[in-house]
Amino acid sequence: MTTVSDFPAAAGPEADGVDAAVAAARSAQPGWDALGFAGRRKVLLAWCTLILRRSDELISLIRAETGKTADDARLEVVLVAHHLRWTATHAARVLGRRRVSPGLLMFNHSVEVTHRPLGVVGVIGPWNYPAFIPVGPVSAALAAGNTVVLKPSEQTPKTGEWLAATLAEVTGAPRVLHVVQGDGAAGAALCRAAVDKVSFTGSSATGRRVMAACAENLTPVVIEGGGKDAMVVAADADLDAAADAAVWAAMTNAGQTCVGLERVYVVGAVADRFLDLVAERAAGLRVGDGADADLGRIVLPKQLDVIAAHVRDALARGARAVVGGPHSITPPYAAPVVLADVPEDSAAVTEETFGPVLVVNRVTTVDEAVARANAGGYGLGAAVFSRDRDGGRSIAARLRAGMVSVNAVIAFAGMPAVPFGGVGDSGFGRVHGPEGLREFTRTQAITSQRFRPLMHPTSFRRGPGTMPTLVRMVRTLYGR
Ligand code: NAD
């Protein structure tokens, strides 16, 4: 296992390149900030238009770098535009100056709260959604008036470069989005550079290293880590819809989705029927690089070993392979695997598989389903299926997850106003929505005295009766 010291703070080509990018971003920041919300909105919307006009290019790049199916890449570009547009349009409302009540005691003041940019934000991205994931924090940081240095995954350098180049076409010089390329060493150098915040998306193990490196300069971080999302299927669920959703959420992008579904807890009375429906759908999926493929390749060769190990371990412990099995892994592909009755301490239940493997375990009650879903360290997304929507929402509220979809899967990712992020091993901080915008700002409150008060408790020139009168007043107001 690599540790923090694998990427020590040594000077080197990574650090030099990163420092130069941060310096360039720093010098571009005041001018970008001075554009104000309206000016930045115009630029970001023009970027969105350009991305859509050249979406075929972006789709090809994403496919070339990740082996995604055409539909998976198309969906990614749709999400990029949807989120970018929301962020550009709503930044002024969310972050603009707002008046706050001074309260009774200080009624002679007026107060305004503003959200100022932090300066330069470092964004470290993963390869699984190489455009959609970075665009979340990049667009929020930019809309708030920061400039950005992006380190894309070493698996998807060209997609990162394309994003920065298209934005530069709109902004001209100086660039407000800089890209540094490289592996973990470049990422570590960015964490140690003179940035004002780091937004990291990747595995939880790397997230710990990122946080340790950022701690050296007390640089704040957002950690969007891994997940082990679960679905709860209640006895009254629409089983057809639940099975369809489960298979898509588990197999889309060949299972390489942070909020991909890896576990289902289904109530015993409907478990057999649900499993039949899941098996029927999963077995019919096509794998490969053909135009009609539903699942593309597994990007990291070492992930194929993890997927195979999880499947073998589960079977060795007594799980049943309902669809596929160890033979489903034929590098660089992994075909759908559905496992049933998997012991809860197997790696396929406790660790992120990040491949097209779905565990379906039966439970006696919804309470048991909730307890099992909440048992692991991760807490990213989750789903609930129940025909009783209120009941579904109350099950959702008991799940330890950042986002839960009721009678749908991963719905939150298609809603730009919805904050996205996890708890526990899945990390902390939020991207998307108002919370995602505020993440890249510092809050400043300015109070302004409008007139001198009759009593002046915060002065040594106050009279002897001032404080007793104040206490009497507060008792009258709040003490009953
Ligand atoms: P990863 O952790 O291997 O790499 C992520 C990024 O971190 C890459 O750019 C990498 O170069 C960089 N990096 C590696 N070591 C570093 C270090 N020491 N310091 C700084 N940066 C470093 O993850 P990955 O394989 O690219 O992505 C898959 C993982 O990401 C999965 O665990 C998945 O669940 C997670 N993910 C999470 C979200 C989310 O929003 N929570 C979204 C997508 C992916």
Side-chain angles (χ1 to χ4, degrees):
M1 192 180 137
T2 42
T3 65
V4 176
S5 59
D6 292 337
F7 300 118
E14 283 87 9
D16 289 350
V18 168
D19 288 345
V22 172
R26 176 80 57 203
S27 74
Q29 196 270 332
W32 177 245
D33 186 22
L35 282 183
F37 289 116
R40 293 192 294 270
R41 175 181 191 270
K42 222 164 127 185
V43 171
L44 293 174
L45 289 179
W47 187 29
C48 184
T49 306
L50 185 62
I51 289 174
L52 286 175
R53 211 181 311 135
R54 290 175 42 191
S55 59
D56 286 349
E57 257 173 59
L58 182 57
I59 288 168
S60 304
L61 254 184
I62 293 172
R63 292 198 69 198
E65 291 197 316
T66 65
K68 268 181 210 231
T69 65
D71 277 353
D72 282 341
R74 287 184 190 116
L75 178 60
E76 178 160 1
V77 172
V78 167
L79 291 174
V80 165
H82 198 34
H83 282 258
L84 180 51
R85 206 181 154 75
W86 187 92
T87 306
T89 313
H90 290 82
R93 178 184 57 79
V94 174
L95 302 178
R97 182 174 302 132
R98 79 191 142 93
R99 289 209 170 281
V100 172
S101 162
L104 264 181
L105 287 185
M106 310 294 274
F107 72 100
N108 56 318
H109 293 252
S110 66
V111 190
E112 59 183 42
V113 173
T114 56
H115 294 279
R116 301 291 304 131
L118 297 170
V120 179
V121 171
V123 174
I124 301 175
W127 48 262
N128 61 338
Y129 290 85
F132 170 49
I133 299 277
V135 159
V138 164
S139 62
L142 288 173
N146 304 279
T147 50
V148 177
V149 177
L150 166 67
K151 198 216 72 75
S153 165
E154 57 273 37
Q155 306 293 330
T156 54
K158 290 185 183 152
T159 304
E161 198 59 63
W162 190 92
L163 290 173
T166 46
L167 178 57
E169 274 185 41
V170 177
T171 57
R175 281 192 175 214
V176 294
L177 171 60
H178 294 256
V179 173
V180 291
Q181 301 288 6
D183 59 10
L190 184 56
C191 295
R192 293 189 174 100
V195 290
D196 300 290
K197 186 152 189 171
V198 168
S199 175
F200 165 82
T201 307
S203 64
S204 303
T206 308
R208 290 186 168 84
R209 289 177 208 127
V210 163
M211 209 174 158
C214 286
E216 291 172 19
N217 295 320
L218 222 57
T219 302
V221 278
V222 177
I223 303 285
E224 297 289 347
K228 188 77 193 170
D229 290 8
M231 174 191 282
V232 174
V233 181
D236 68 345
D238 175 341
L239 295 183
D240 199 54
D244 184 61
V247 171
W248 182 79
M251 309 301 169
T252 185
N253 209 26
Q256 303 163 110
T257 302
C258 55
V259 284
L261 185 69
E262 301 208 352
R263 300 175 293 155
V264 177
Y265 295 109
V266 52
V267 170
V270 293
D272 288 338
R273 178 78 190 124
F274 175 78
L275 204 48
D276 286 348
L277 291 167
V278 166
E280 191 186 306
R281 281 168 175 74
L285 297 177
R286 292 153 301 194
V287 183
D289 60 3
D292 62 346
D294 300 301
L295 281 76
R297 68 183 159 88
I298 298 298
V299 173
L300 299 182
K302 66 175 190 212
Q303 201 63 32
L304 287 160
D305 299 336
V306 173
I307 297 166
H310 285 191
V311 173
R312 275 198 303 268
D313 170 68
L315 295 176
R317 288 161 182 262
R320 278 189 300 131
V322 179
V323 173
H327 60 276
S328 305
I329 290 114
T330 52
Y333 301 104
V337 178
V338 179
L339 302 170
D341 309 326
V342 184
E344 289 288 314
D345 59 351
S346 332
V349 174
T350 59
E351 293 171 22
E352 188 180 45
T353 306
F354 223 55
V357 178
L358 182 62
V359 167
V360 180
N361 278 350
R362 72 184 65 220
V363 288
T364 314
T365 59
V366 160
D367 287 347
E368 187 188 347
V370 169
R372 290 201 194 187
N374 288 346
Y378 291 112
L380 196 52
V384 176
F385 272 79
S386 165
R387 278 205 170 84
D388 169 6
R389 276 210 305 144
D390 288 341
R393 278 200 297 270
S394 77
I395 298 168
R398 291 159 62 200
L399 290 171
R400 182 175 161 274
M403 300 80 54
V404 189
S405 309
V406 177
N407 292 333
V409 276
I410 321 184
F412 41 79
M415 303 174 185
V418 172
F420 185 105
V423 299
D425 288 344
S426 296
F428 50 83
R430 292 294 181 264
V431 293
H432 305 169
E435 286 82 354
L437 277 161
R438 285 186 208 109
E439 199 70 68
F440 302 106
T441 62
R442 60 183 168 82
T443 307
Q444 185 178 44
I446 298 176
T447 73
S448 164
Q449 179 166 281
R450 292 182 297 141
F451 54 87
R452 281 179 67 83
L454 291 175
M455 284 195 313
H456 209 354
T458 56
S459 163
F460 289 118
R461 294 195 308 197
R462 68 191 164 220
T466 300
M467 292 318 290
T469 307
L470 190 61
V471 169
R472 265 200 311 279
M473 238 175 76
V474 172
R475 269 201 202 127
T476 312
L477 285 171
Y478 310 135
R480 288 182 283 183

